[in-house]
Structures are given as C-alpha cells and as structure tokens.
Amino acid sequence: MTDLIAPRRQSIAVNVDGVVVGGTAPIVVQSMTNTDTADIDKTVEQVAALARAGSELVRITVDRDEAAKAVPHIREKLEKRGVKVPIIGDFHYIGHKLLGENPACAEALAKYRINPGNVGFKAKRDKQFTDIIEIAMKHNKPVRIGVNWGSLDQELLTHLMDENAKSAKPATARAVMHEAICQSGLLSAQRAQDLGMRKDQIIISAKVSAVQDLVSVYTMLAKRCDYALHLGLTEAGMGSKGIVASSAAMGIVLQAGIGDTVRVSLTPEPNGDRTREVQVAQELLQTMGLRSFIPIVAACPGCGRTTSTVFQELAQQIQSHIRESMPVWKAKYPGVESLNLAVMGCIVNGPGESKHADIGISLPGTGETPSAPVFIDGEKAMTLRGPHIAAEFQKIVEDYVEKRYGGA
C-alpha cells in the first residue's frame, strides 16, 4: 500500500457467514442482484455470476412473501453448485413481517439490511425495528443499518431543521441533512445494542448520490463511531458517469483510511452485464493499491505512431483471457493476482514500460520494424515476428504463470 494512504480506520470486525468485514480484514467487495427474487432460477444464475466475478457478498431484494419463500431455495441451489457466497436480504417497509412469517428465509440469509427511514413510521417504527433486531439475534445474524438520503427519517430531519432554525449561527440545510443521515445510522445502531445486539454484529452505511455529500457524511461517521462502514454512492448512474462518480467519491474516502466494504452501484445498460459493478469495485481497490484481485495489464493509449489496432486488440485479448482464467488461476496459482503485464504500441515508451512489468511486449508502431521484443522480469527474453504474435505472447504468459506461481 502506498504511504500516501492514511492508516486504515480501526473498526469492529463483523463476521458475515465466514466473510469478515472491518477490523484488519481486507476491504470486501459486494454487489446486488436486479432479478425478481421470486424467480429462483434467474436469481441463482445472477448470484453465481456475481460470485464468479469476485463479489464476496451478494445482496438480494426481499420485498414480498413470494421472495421471502424463495430465499431458502436460492441458498440450497447455490450450495449444490458449490457457490458459498453469503447472501444478504434487503428489507424495506415490511421486513419485520417477512422475516417473522418466514423463519427459513431468516435462517438462510447471512445478514439483514435495514433502512431506518422506512422500517416503520411513527408509533410503529420502534416496534417493527425491534422485531427485526430480535429475529436477527435469534438467528445470530448481523445487520446493516443502511441509511439512504432518498428515504431519510423525516421526523428526525424536521427536528434537526427546527433546532437549527433556533440557533444563533444556523448551519446550511445541506449540513443539517448530513447530520440527520449520521444521526439516523448511529441512533439506530445504538438502539440495536440497547436491545441486546452485539457491536460486532452491526455495520452502518450512509448512501447519498453526490460525491461531496458522501465524503462529508463518511468523514463524520468515521470520527463518531467504530462500527464497520459500508461505502457506496447510491444512484451513481450509468456507464462512465457512474464509474467516475463512484470512483471519485469512494477514492477520496478510501484514501483517508475509511471504509470496510464497498459496492459500486452502476445502472446497467438494458439487459447489460450486472457483473460490471464487481469489476469496477475490484479495479478501484486495486488501482489504489488496497487489494489485488487480478493481474494488471498496462497498455498505452495510442497515438499517431500506432495507427494499427494490433496492440489494442492484443491488450483486449490478454485482459479478457486473464479474466476468464482467474477462477481457475486463483485456486491453482496462489499470488497470481499480483502479476503485472504490459502491452505497448510503439518504440517510444514500449521497451521501458515492458521492462517495468513482469512480462511486457512492445509491438511495432507505424513504420517501425515488424518485430515485437518481449521482456520478462526486466530482461529482453525474445523477439516475436509474424502473424501469430498474439497467440505466442498468450502462451508465454501462461508458461510464466505456471513457472512462477505453480509451486506456491
């Protein structure tokens, strides 16, 4: 880890069915399905795909009785496939009822997510929150107190706004909202402890959709508690907008040493690949030097010297091959995720960048000699020529992985 990153904030470790969140454990990547949970087969397929992509926790929606009844069957089918990723139940409005009337669901889930803004309203709030906490304690399940600014406790917000209006130096409405978000999470967590839940069974999140709001709220939370914190920018958006916003927001907070588990909440393209959010979360943590998930492929951006698309195609091919190989490589070659590769497009920076990688290739640019020197561990090992450079380089990578990591 780079020395520029602040020391990791010390939080209470929470065990989520074998996956530790917080404490000294690595920052955990999680995701969420967008299938109808009542559709057992589709949900199983997506959970398995997310787990295969590297999601270490997967959240599913439990919004009605049919969904609650499907949960134990989903868990059973996943176990038969050998997929052991912990499943988190996402509850809103009637979570107390669904958990109470479906004990098999309550038992099959690894953790419950509770939104204090809609767990109940007015006189019912405390009773329904209490019901969920008592069910969680009965089944020895941790909970996430998941505050979201889109469903913030309006009574709490109104109270804080009224108090602020009476102040001699009133804060901005935005600052009051930040305080309400923090208080909602902290007061709910304390309420859970008062009911008998252990501190090492509680995780807090505070979801907002603007970068600076996220930075402000999590900075406040980190100073005021030692609960494990789940990071995520809600409603981040689609495509590059969602990726940039999530990376910018969480990158600032992670740089400050805050955060125990992350989710990148991308809006997928219609019928798009849900696993993209897992890939982005992994790349965020890896590029910051916080974790290693998959070998990194460095590639130049291309310029007028690289009018051929050969190096772009090779970089894409190698990156895809690595991702496809990782489920097997991870089990067979411990440590392979730290491998660094370089696919460069011309003679300007190609040889130098290739020497810095474990394995690098410098492809010929426009007008250059049609040869591609390959560097292994900083030394020139060979030169590839002809129409099969891509296949030959891929074989070199596979042989290197076997030789370096096969005996680990």
Short mmCIF file of all heavy atoms in Angstrom, two decimals, residues 343-389:
data_model
loop_
_atom_site.label_atom_id
_atom_site.label_comp_id
_atom_site.label_asym_id
_atom_site.label_seq_id
_atom_site.Cartn_x
_atom_site.Cartn_y
_atom_site.Cartn_z
N VAL A 343 1.33 -4.25 -22.47
CA VAL A 343 1.15 -4.39 -23.91
C VAL A 343 1.26 -2.98 -24.50
O VAL A 343 0.34 -2.17 -24.38
CB VAL A 343 -0.20 -5.03 -24.26
CG1 VAL A 343 -0.36 -5.13 -25.77
CG2 VAL A 343 -0.33 -6.41 -23.63
N MET A 344 2.39 -2.70 -25.12
CA MET A 344 2.68 -1.35 -25.58
C MET A 344 2.68 -1.27 -27.10
O MET A 344 2.92 -2.26 -27.78
CB MET A 344 4.05 -0.90 -25.02
CG MET A 344 4.14 -1.01 -23.49
SD MET A 344 2.84 -0.08 -22.63
CE MET A 344 3.31 1.60 -23.07
N GLY A 345 2.44 -0.05 -27.63
CA GLY A 345 2.16 0.09 -29.04
C GLY A 345 3.27 0.60 -29.93
O GLY A 345 3.13 0.58 -31.15
N CYS A 346 4.39 1.09 -29.36
CA CYS A 346 5.47 1.58 -30.23
C CYS A 346 6.77 1.66 -29.45
O CYS A 346 6.82 1.39 -28.24
CB CYS A 346 5.11 2.92 -30.86
SG CYS A 346 5.33 4.35 -29.76
N ILE A 347 7.81 2.12 -30.11
CA ILE A 347 9.16 2.09 -29.54
C ILE A 347 9.42 3.21 -28.53
O ILE A 347 10.40 3.17 -27.78
CB ILE A 347 10.19 2.17 -30.70
CG1 ILE A 347 11.55 1.66 -30.23
CG2 ILE A 347 10.26 3.58 -31.26
CD1 ILE A 347 12.55 1.49 -31.36
N VAL A 348 8.57 4.24 -28.47
CA VAL A 348 8.85 5.39 -27.59
C VAL A 348 8.91 4.97 -26.12
O VAL A 348 9.93 5.12 -25.45
CB VAL A 348 7.80 6.51 -27.79
CG1 VAL A 348 8.02 7.63 -26.77
CG2 VAL A 348 7.89 7.07 -29.20
N ASN A 349 7.81 4.46 -25.61
CA ASN A 349 7.78 4.01 -24.21
C ASN A 349 7.65 2.50 -24.08
O ASN A 349 7.70 1.97 -22.97
CB ASN A 349 6.60 4.67 -23.47
CG ASN A 349 6.78 6.17 -23.33
OD1 ASN A 349 7.83 6.64 -22.93
ND2 ASN A 349 5.73 6.92 -23.66
N GLY A 350 7.45 1.82 -25.22
CA GLY A 350 7.20 0.38 -25.17
C GLY A 350 8.25 -0.44 -24.44
O GLY A 350 7.94 -1.14 -23.47
N PRO A 351 9.53 -0.35 -24.84
CA PRO A 351 10.54 -1.16 -24.15
C PRO A 351 10.68 -0.81 -22.67
O PRO A 351 10.80 -1.70 -21.82
CB PRO A 351 11.82 -0.84 -24.94
CG PRO A 351 11.33 -0.47 -26.30
CD PRO A 351 10.06 0.28 -26.04
N GLY A 352 10.66 0.49 -22.35
CA GLY A 352 10.81 0.89 -20.95
C GLY A 352 9.67 0.40 -20.08
O GLY A 352 9.88 -0.15 -19.00
N GLU A 353 8.42 0.59 -20.54
CA GLU A 353 7.26 0.11 -19.78
C GLU A 353 7.28 -1.41 -19.67
O GLU A 353 6.93 -1.97 -18.63
CB GLU A 353 5.97 0.56 -20.48
CG GLU A 353 5.68 2.05 -20.39
CD GLU A 353 5.09 2.44 -19.05
OE1 GLU A 353 4.92 1.57 -18.18
OE2 GLU A 353 4.80 3.64 -18.87
N SER A 354 7.68 -2.09 -20.72
CA SER A 354 7.72 -3.54 -20.71
C SER A 354 8.72 -4.06 -19.69
O SER A 354 8.50 -5.09 -19.05
CB SER A 354 8.08 -4.08 -22.10
OG SER A 354 7.09 -3.72 -23.04
N LYS A 355 9.84 -3.35 -19.52
CA LYS A 355 10.85 -3.76 -18.54
C LYS A 355 10.34 -3.62 -17.12
O LYS A 355 10.75 -4.35 -16.22
CB LYS A 355 12.12 -2.92 -18.72
CG LYS A 355 12.91 -3.25 -19.99
CD LYS A 355 14.11 -2.32 -20.13
CE LYS A 355 14.86 -2.58 -21.42
NZ LYS A 355 16.00 -1.64 -21.60
N HIS A 356 9.43 -2.65 -16.90
CA HIS A 356 8.90 -2.44 -15.55
C HIS A 356 7.88 -3.51 -15.17
O HIS A 356 7.59 -3.71 -13.99
CB HIS A 356 8.25 -1.06 -15.44
CG HIS A 356 9.23 0.08 -15.45
ND1 HIS A 356 10.32 0.12 -14.61
CD2 HIS A 356 9.29 1.20 -16.21
CE1 HIS A 356 11.01 1.23 -14.84
NE2 HIS A 356 10.41 1.90 -15.81
N ALA A 357 7.30 -4.19 -16.16
CA ALA A 357 6.30 -5.22 -15.90
C ALA A 357 6.98 -6.57 -15.69
O ALA A 357 8.16 -6.76 -16.01
CB ALA A 357 5.33 -5.31 -17.07
N ASP A 358 6.22 -7.54 -15.14
CA ASP A 358 6.75 -8.90 -15.04
C ASP A 358 6.94 -9.48 -16.44
O ASP A 358 7.94 -10.15 -16.71
CB ASP A 358 5.79 -9.78 -14.23
CG ASP A 358 5.68 -9.32 -12.78
OD1 ASP A 358 6.72 -9.06 -12.17
OD2 ASP A 358 4.54 -9.19 -12.30
N ILE A 359 5.96 -9.25 -17.29
CA ILE A 359 6.05 -9.63 -18.70
C ILE A 359 5.53 -8.47 -19.52
O ILE A 359 4.45 -7.94 -19.24
CB ILE A 359 5.19 -10.87 -19.03
CG1 ILE A 359 5.46 -12.02 -18.07
CG2 ILE A 359 5.45 -11.33 -20.46
CD1 ILE A 359 4.55 -13.20 -18.30
N GLY A 360 6.27 -8.07 -20.54
CA GLY A 360 5.84 -6.98 -21.38
C GLY A 360 6.19 -7.22 -22.83
O GLY A 360 7.19 -7.90 -23.13
N ILE A 361 5.38 -6.68 -23.70
CA ILE A 361 5.64 -6.78 -25.13
C ILE A 361 5.50 -5.41 -25.75
O ILE A 361 4.59 -4.64 -25.41
CB ILE A 361 4.68 -7.79 -25.81
CG1 ILE A 361 5.05 -7.98 -27.29
CG2 ILE A 361 3.23 -7.36 -25.67
CD1 ILE A 361 4.31 -9.14 -27.94
N SER A 362 6.44 -5.07 -26.61
CA SER A 362 6.42 -3.78 -27.31
C SER A 362 6.17 -4.04 -28.78
O SER A 362 7.04 -4.50 -29.51
CB SER A 362 7.76 -3.05 -27.10
OG SER A 362 7.74 -1.80 -27.74
N LEU A 363 4.96 -3.76 -29.19
CA LEU A 363 4.57 -4.02 -30.58
C LEU A 363 5.07 -2.90 -31.50
O LEU A 363 5.27 -1.77 -31.05
CB LEU A 363 3.06 -4.15 -30.67
CG LEU A 363 2.50 -5.39 -29.96
CD1 LEU A 363 1.01 -5.24 -29.74
CD2 LEU A 363 2.78 -6.65 -30.76
N PRO A 364 5.29 -3.22 -32.77
CA PRO A 364 5.78 -2.21 -33.70
C PRO A 364 4.72 -1.16 -34.02
O PRO A 364 3.56 -1.49 -34.30
CB PRO A 364 6.15 -3.02 -34.95
CG PRO A 364 5.29 -4.25 -34.87
CD PRO A 364 5.15 -4.55 -33.41
N GLY A 365 5.12 0.11 -33.96
CA GLY A 365 4.23 1.19 -34.34
C GLY A 365 4.29 1.43 -35.83
O GLY A 365 4.99 0.72 -36.58
N THR A 366 3.58 2.44 -36.28
CA THR A 366 3.54 2.76 -37.70
C THR A 366 4.95 3.03 -38.24
O THR A 366 5.68 3.87 -37.70
CB THR A 366 2.65 3.99 -37.92
OG1 THR A 366 1.37 3.75 -37.36
CG2 THR A 366 2.51 4.30 -39.40
N GLY A 367 5.33 2.29 -39.25
CA GLY A 367 6.63 2.50 -39.88
C GLY A 367 7.79 1.83 -39.19
O GLY A 367 8.93 1.92 -39.66
N GLU A 368 7.55 1.19 -38.04
CA GLU A 368 8.64 0.52 -37.33
C GLU A 368 8.88 -0.87 -37.88
O GLU A 368 8.03 -1.47 -38.54
CB GLU A 368 8.31 0.45 -35.82
CG GLU A 368 8.29 1.80 -35.13
CD GLU A 368 7.91 1.70 -33.66
OE1 GLU A 368 7.86 0.58 -33.13
OE2 GLU A 368 7.66 2.75 -33.05
N THR A 369 10.05 -1.42 -37.57
CA THR A 369 10.39 -2.78 -37.98
C THR A 369 9.34 -3.74 -37.44
O THR A 369 9.00 -3.67 -36.25
CB THR A 369 11.77 -3.17 -37.44
OG1 THR A 369 12.73 -2.21 -37.91
CG2 THR A 369 12.17 -4.56 -37.90
N PRO A 370 8.80 -4.63 -38.25
CA PRO A 370 7.74 -5.54 -37.80
C PRO A 370 8.24 -6.65 -36.88
O PRO A 370 8.28 -7.82 -37.22
CB PRO A 370 7.20 -6.12 -39.12
CG PRO A 370 8.37 -6.07 -40.04
CD PRO A 370 9.13 -4.82 -39.68
N SER A 371 8.65 -6.23 -35.69
CA SER A 371 9.10 -7.18 -34.68
C SER A 371 8.63 -6.70 -33.32
O SER A 371 8.42 -5.51 -33.11
CB SER A 371 10.63 -7.31 -34.71
OG SER A 371 11.23 -6.06 -34.42
N ALA A 372 8.47 -7.64 -32.39
CA ALA A 372 7.92 -7.30 -31.06
C ALA A 372 8.80 -7.91 -29.97
O ALA A 372 8.69 -9.11 -29.67
CB ALA A 372 6.49 -7.81 -30.95
N PRO A 373 9.70 -7.13 -29.37
CA PRO A 373 10.51 -7.66 -28.29
C PRO A 373 9.65 -7.95 -27.05
O PRO A 373 8.75 -7.18 -26.72
CB PRO A 373 11.52 -6.54 -28.01
CG PRO A 373 10.88 -5.30 -28.54
CD PRO A 373 10.03 -5.73 -29.68
N VAL A 374 9.95 -9.05 -26.41
CA VAL A 374 9.26 -9.46 -25.18
C VAL A 374 10.24 -9.39 -24.03
O VAL A 374 11.36 -9.91 -24.11
CB VAL A 374 8.70 -10.89 -25.31
CG1 VAL A 374 8.09 -11.34 -23.99
CG2 VAL A 374 7.65 -10.95 -26.42
N PHE A 375 9.82 -8.74 -22.94
CA PHE A 375 10.66 -8.60 -21.76
C PHE A 375 10.06 -9.41 -20.61
O PHE A 375 8.86 -9.32 -20.35
CB PHE A 375 10.78 -7.13 -21.37
CG PHE A 375 11.45 -6.28 -22.41
CD1 PHE A 375 10.74 -5.77 -23.49
CD2 PHE A 375 12.81 -6.00 -22.33
CE1 PHE A 375 11.35 -5.01 -24.46
CE2 PHE A 375 13.44 -5.22 -23.30
CZ PHE A 375 12.70 -4.73 -24.37
N ILE A 376 10.89 -10.19 -19.95
CA ILE A 376 10.45 -11.00 -18.81
C ILE A 376 11.33 -10.65 -17.61
O ILE A 376 12.56 -10.73 -17.70
CB ILE A 376 10.52 -12.50 -19.11
CG1 ILE A 376 9.59 -12.85 -20.28
CG2 ILE A 376 10.15 -13.33 -17.87
CD1 ILE A 376 9.64 -14.31 -20.70
N ASP A 377 10.70 -10.24 -16.52
CA ASP A 377 11.42 -9.84 -15.31
C ASP A 377 12.51 -8.81 -15.61
O ASP A 377 13.63 -8.87 -15.08
CB ASP A 377 12.02 -11.06 -14.61
CG ASP A 377 10.96 -12.01 -14.08
OD1 ASP A 377 9.88 -11.53 -13.70
OD2 ASP A 377 11.20 -13.23 -14.06
N GLY A 378 12.17 -7.86 -16.48
CA GLY A 378 13.07 -6.74 -16.74
C GLY A 378 14.12 -6.98 -17.80
O GLY A 378 14.88 -6.07 -18.14
N GLU A 379 14.20 -8.18 -18.32
CA GLU A 379 15.22 -8.51 -19.32
C GLU A 379 14.56 -8.91 -20.63
O GLU A 379 13.53 -9.59 -20.64
CB GLU A 379 16.10 -9.65 -18.81
CG GLU A 379 16.82 -9.37 -17.50
CD GLU A 379 17.90 -8.30 -17.66
OE1 GLU A 379 18.41 -8.14 -18.79
OE2 GLU A 379 18.23 -7.63 -16.65
N LYS A 380 15.20 -8.52 -21.73
CA LYS A 380 14.69 -8.94 -23.03
C LYS A 380 14.87 -10.44 -23.17
O LYS A 380 15.98 -10.95 -23.05
CB LYS A 380 15.41 -8.20 -24.16
CG LYS A 380 14.86 -8.53 -25.54
CD LYS A 380 15.56 -7.74 -26.62
CE LYS A 380 15.06 -8.14 -28.01
NZ LYS A 380 15.73 -7.39 -29.09
N ALA A 381 13.78 -11.15 -23.44
CA ALA A 381 13.83 -12.61 -23.49
C ALA A 381 13.78 -13.14 -24.91
O ALA A 381 14.35 -14.20 -25.19
CB ALA A 381 12.66 -13.20 -22.69
N MET A 382 13.08 -12.43 -25.80
CA MET A 382 12.92 -12.93 -27.16
C MET A 382 12.28 -11.84 -28.00
O MET A 382 11.82 -10.81 -27.49
CB MET A 382 12.03 -14.18 -27.17
CG MET A 382 10.60 -13.90 -26.70
SD MET A 382 9.71 -15.38 -26.18
CE MET A 382 10.50 -15.72 -24.60
N THR A 383 12.20 -12.07 -29.30
CA THR A 383 11.51 -11.17 -30.21
C THR A 383 10.53 -11.99 -31.04
O THR A 383 10.91 -13.02 -31.62
CB THR A 383 12.50 -10.44 -31.13
OG1 THR A 383 13.39 -9.65 -30.33
CG2 THR A 383 11.76 -9.52 -32.09
N LEU A 384 9.27 -11.55 -31.06
CA LEU A 384 8.25 -12.27 -31.83
C LEU A 384 8.02 -11.57 -33.16
O LEU A 384 8.05 -10.34 -33.25
CB LEU A 384 6.93 -12.30 -31.04
CG LEU A 384 6.97 -12.92 -29.64
CD1 LEU A 384 5.58 -12.90 -29.01
CD2 LEU A 384 7.51 -14.35 -29.69
N ARG A 385 7.80 -12.38 -34.19
CA ARG A 385 7.53 -11.85 -35.53
C ARG A 385 6.45 -12.70 -36.19
O ARG A 385 6.23 -13.84 -35.80
CB ARG A 385 8.79 -11.87 -36.38
CG ARG A 385 9.92 -10.97 -35.89
CD ARG A 385 11.13 -11.06 -36.81
NE ARG A 385 12.18 -10.13 -36.43
CZ ARG A 385 13.12 -10.41 -35.51
NH1 ARG A 385 13.12 -11.60 -34.92
NH2 ARG A 385 14.03 -9.51 -35.21
N GLY A 386 5.81 -12.12 -37.20
CA GLY A 386 4.87 -12.89 -37.98
C GLY A 386 3.43 -12.68 -37.57
O GLY A 386 3.11 -11.84 -36.72
N PRO A 387 2.53 -13.49 -38.11
CA PRO A 387 1.08 -13.27 -37.92
C PRO A 387 0.52 -13.85 -36.63
O PRO A 387 -0.66 -13.65 -36.33
CB PRO A 387 0.47 -13.98 -39.13
CG PRO A 387 1.42 -15.10 -39.42
CD PRO A 387 2.79 -14.56 -39.11
N HIS A 388 1.32 -14.56 -35.85
CA HIS A 388 0.79 -15.25 -34.67
C HIS A 388 1.34 -14.69 -33.36
O HIS A 388 1.44 -15.40 -32.36
CB HIS A 388 1.09 -16.75 -34.76
CG HIS A 388 0.59 -17.39 -36.01
ND1 HIS A 388 -0.75 -17.43 -36.34
CD2 HIS A 388 1.27 -17.98 -37.04
CE1 HIS A 388 -0.90 -18.04 -37.50
NE2 HIS A 388 0.31 -18.38 -37.96
N ILE A 389 1.70 -13.42 -33.37
CA ILE A 389 2.28 -12.80 -32.17
C ILE A 389 1.34 -12.90 -30.97
O ILE A 389 1.76 -13.23 -29.86
CB ILE A 389 2.63 -11.32 -32.45
CG1 ILE A 389 3.86 -11.25 -33.36
CG2 ILE A 389 2.89 -10.56 -31.16
CD1 ILE A 389 4.24 -9.84 -33.76
#
